[in-house]
Amino acid sequence: MAESTRRPVPAQAVAIPQDGGLVRTISWTGAFWIASGVPALVLFSIGSIAATIGTPSVLVWALSVFFGLIQSFTYAEIAGMFPQKSGGTSVYGAMAWVPYSKFVAPVSVWCNWLAWSPVLTIGAGLAAGYLLTALFPADAAINTWSVTLLDLGFLKDGLAVRFNAQFLIGAALLLLVFALQHHGVLRAARVQMVVGIAVLVPLLLVGLVPLLGGDVALHNFAPFVPLNGAWNLGGGTLFAGGLFLAAWSAYAFETAVCYTREFKNPGRDTAKALFSAGGVCVVIYLLVPFAFQGSLGVERLVSPGIVDGTGVAGAMVDMIGGGAFVGNLLIVMLILALLLTIMTTMAGSSRTLYQGARDGWLPRYLGRANKHGAPTRAMWTDLGFSLVLLLLSDYVFVLAASTVCYMVFNFLNLNAGWLHRVDNGHLERPWRAPTVLIVAGTVLAFVNALLLGWGSSVWGPGALWTGLVAAALVVPVFAYRHFVRDKGVFPPSMYEQTGGSVPVRKAGMRPYLTLAGGVAMVALGQVLAHVSG
């Protein structure tokens, strides 16, 4: 009967040149430490979200991280189904969509990479800014000189391509991270364990000291209404904008499943890595925003230094005390935190590119690893793309545009959970999510689609369309790889886990109705944003 419901892959399937490939050298603890840069992402946008929504920003963070936790159950199940693949949820989700559309599946992989890769830019830029601020006066020539190469004000006021000292230092930091990861995932995990401890402990202190010391003032949470003064449609739009941007940080611990192909025991390690990373994120994303707002108040949170990230260290000193010495230590910690997020991102996003090439979605040259099992060609691509983004003057716009891609990725892959249940129910699942959580994840897929259309408008009129255009760029890339290079046939590694056979479509019209429903939710969000003014 199994033979009657499967069809073989054509014999002329195109092979990818063999190399050493990724190697199984880490356990779930290694992936946990590689993903330990995610908690520090809260510092990237804590000021921006407070400046957008006001006192309810703590609710934004709490809801967002719990959304991410619910979604992780779907991701844990589908990741365990493909122990021979790396690259994260988008790769595993693409396997559910490919029987229905060859063009939808690569969008999943591409959007995941576009969502993660800007972390390299933002982290390197902020770390460079901290170094310049710590070492030189604000009016020093090294801090003030800048050469504008291109004005992009038509996308957002003040946006430009420019060259300055921040770019040069940021580029040096990216090269440092590349060197650390060149020798494979095991060495990278060991380095990140040391850095992770040095970062997570101070983050916990920042969250706990104000609470235990009685420095959290309840009046800093009142009135608990959006900045427009009411919970009306306008206030809802601001809240949706906060949830939209927070998703980029609070959902991000799903990166722990990028290393399935490198786990010693993928069946056991995949779920453990994801849920341990998620548990830490829940604690940090609840404590840190609450402590920041309760101790400093919204007025301080929305100051330019915290919004752009340069004043976060000073704010943390005010929260826990200790004077100049502690302040310098916190600056070092923040620089380490930013390096940690860069390491987390380069490790995960490069593996997404690597597996995308192995499975036939992306250019072949990305699908090679060096003798240490590091996907260096994909890492070089990450580095080059990040250097281009590092030239931009507004990282919040980059963050908003990449969040558009991240919401598209989440929509597709949360729906991949039920789609795999329908089409690939026969495949082994080392960890199976409760069905109610698969359903909850599907509901959140449409919530994310609504936030994509509604919340993105808060971050500039060009954010949504810039993100969607960036997502669509994969179509010609995939078309050339698949139809020109591979003659319309996927590589054998694409169906390695299914025994070399292409899944038969059993879901009927439901996947297409799902896509239509997603588009409708984005359109509804745009209407709500327009009506709210």
Side-chain angles (χ1 to χ4, degrees):
M1 181 171 295
E3 290 296 321
S4 65
T5 60
R6 320 292 291 180
R7 58 179 182 268
V9 176
Q12 69 270 24
V14 178
I16 289 181
Q18 296 297 308
D19 63 0
L22 306 182
V23 292
R24 297 195 181 278
T25 56
I26 60 171
S27 67
W28 70 269
T29 56
F32 168 81
W33 287 115
I34 294 174
S36 63
V38 173
L41 291 176
V42 68
L43 301 175
F44 281 25
S45 47
I46 191 170
S48 297
I49 290 176
T52 300
I53 182 65
T55 52
S57 65
V58 290
L59 180 59
V60 166
W61 287 110
L63 280 176
S64 194
V65 76
F66 277 113
F67 285 176
L69 187 63
I70 292 170
Q71 293 168 180
S72 69
F73 287 88
T74 297
Y75 297 156
E77 176 174 312
I78 65 175
M81 295 169 59
F82 300 97
Q84 300 302 321
K85 293 184 183 292
S86 66
T89 306
S90 63
V91 172
Y92 319 132
M95 295 298 296
W97 284 101
V98 67
Y100 299 92
S101 173
K102 287 184 176 182
F103 289 97
V104 171
V107 169
S108 168
V109 177
W110 182 257
C111 281
N112 189 22
W113 176 67
L114 283 179
W116 268 102
S117 193
V119 180
L120 299 173
T121 300
I122 298 169
L126 287 177
Y130 280 129
L131 285 171
L132 289 169
T133 302
L135 297 176
F136 303 99
D139 58 354
I142 194 172
N143 279 321
T144 57
W145 77 272
S146 180
V147 178
T148 299
L149 304 177
L150 180 65
D151 184 7
L152 298 176
F154 64 93
L155 292 175
K156 184 180 180 182
D157 289 342
L159 183 64
V161 178
R162 55 42 172 161
F163 182 82
N164 57 13
Q166 189 177 27
F167 170 82
L168 294 174
I169 296 175
L173 293 174
L174 289 174
L175 288 169
L176 171 63
V177 171
F178 183 96
L180 290 173
Q181 298 203 349
H182 184 267
H183 292 279
V185 71
L186 180 59
R187 178 177 293 189
R190 289 170 176 168
V191 172
Q192 290 195 221
M193 179 181 69
V194 176
V195 179
I197 293 172
V199 169
L200 292 178
V201 171
L203 275 177
L204 282 173
L205 288 176
V206 167
L208 290 173
V209 169
L211 286 171
L212 299 177
D215 295 325
V216 173
L218 293 181
H219 66 80
N220 286 329
F221 300 94
F224 201 73
V225 293
L227 287 177
N228 70 331
W231 284 105
N232 53 17
L233 185 58
T237 298
L238 295 177
F239 195 76
L243 286 173
F244 169 78
L245 196 67
W248 179 83
S249 305
Y251 298 178
F253 60 88
E254 47 82 17
T255 190
V257 300
C258 281
Y259 313 98
T260 306
R261 177 64 183 84
E262 293 161 283
F263 285 142
K264 295 176 182 177
N265 186 338
R268 178 197 65 193
D269 293 334
T270 301
K272 284 187 176 181
L274 181 58
F275 294 137
S276 60
V280 171
C281 283
V282 168
V283 172
I284 296 296
Y285 280 72
L286 290 178
L287 279 179
V288 171
F290 185 80
F292 259 79
Q293 184 169 324
S295 179
L296 302 175
V298 172
E299 294 78 9
R300 178 73 182 278
L301 273 183
V302 302
S303 63
I306 294 182
V307 172
D308 66 21
T310 58
V312 171
M316 293 168 73
V317 173
D318 292 341
M319 292 169 64
I320 66 176
F325 176 74
V326 172
N328 289 331
L329 286 180
L330 286 175
I331 289 175
V332 172
M333 184 277 290
L334 283 174
I335 293 172
L336 289 176
L338 293 167
L339 286 175
L340 187 64
T341 61
I342 295 170
M343 289 189 283
T344 294
T345 301
M346 186 172 287
S349 62
S350 62
R351 282 158 177 80
T352 300
L353 291 178
Y354 170 86
Q355 192 65 49
R358 302 289 295 178
D359 285 352
W361 309 119
L362 301 177
R364 289 185 186 182
Y365 85 93
L366 295 168
R368 300 294 297 271
N370 68 8
K371 64 181 181 180
H372 305 292
T376 45
R377 293 187 180 183
M379 289 163 61
W380 277 117
T381 302
D382 256 345
L383 184 63
F385 180 69
S386 299
L387 290 176
V388 173
L389 293 184
L390 197 58
L391 290 167
L392 294 178
S393 60
D394 188 343
Y395 298 143
V396 174
F397 181 81
V398 173
L399 177 57
S402 70
T403 304
V404 171
C405 296
Y406 198 47
M407 288 305 207
V408 173
F409 149 80
N410 275 286
F411 177 82
L412 292 175
N413 292 288
L414 288 170
N415 280 293
W418 66 263
L419 196 48
H420 271 307
R421 289 262 181 114
V422 173
D423 283 351
N424 296 305
H426 63 288
L427 290 183
E428 181 183 358
R429 287 164 168 78
W431 190 89
R432 187 179 181 90
T435 300
V436 66
L437 291 176
I438 296 291
V439 173
T442 303
V443 172
L444 286 176
F446 289 92
V447 172
N448 287 331
L450 178 64
L451 294 176
L452 172 57
W454 194 7
S456 61
S457 63
V458 174
W459 302 98
L464 175 61
W465 291 107
T466 300
L468 292 178
V469 168
L473 291 177
V474 74
V475 174
V477 173
F478 166 69
Y480 177 77
R481 165 67 197 271
H482 186 65
F483 295 107
V484 177
R485 296 298 304 276
D486 293 349
K487 310 304 180 186
V489 180
F490 285 110
S493 59
M494 172 73 169
Y495 299 108
E496 185 176 6
Q497 197 60 32
T498 60
S501 57
V502 181
V504 171
R505 298 184 294 185
K506 302 176 186 177
M509 292 297 297
R510 282 175 285 177
Y512 305 109
L513 293 174
T514 296
L515 293 174
V519 172
M521 292 300 283
V522 174
L524 174 61
Q526 286 281 281
V527 171
L528 292 173
H530 178 74
V531 172
S532 68

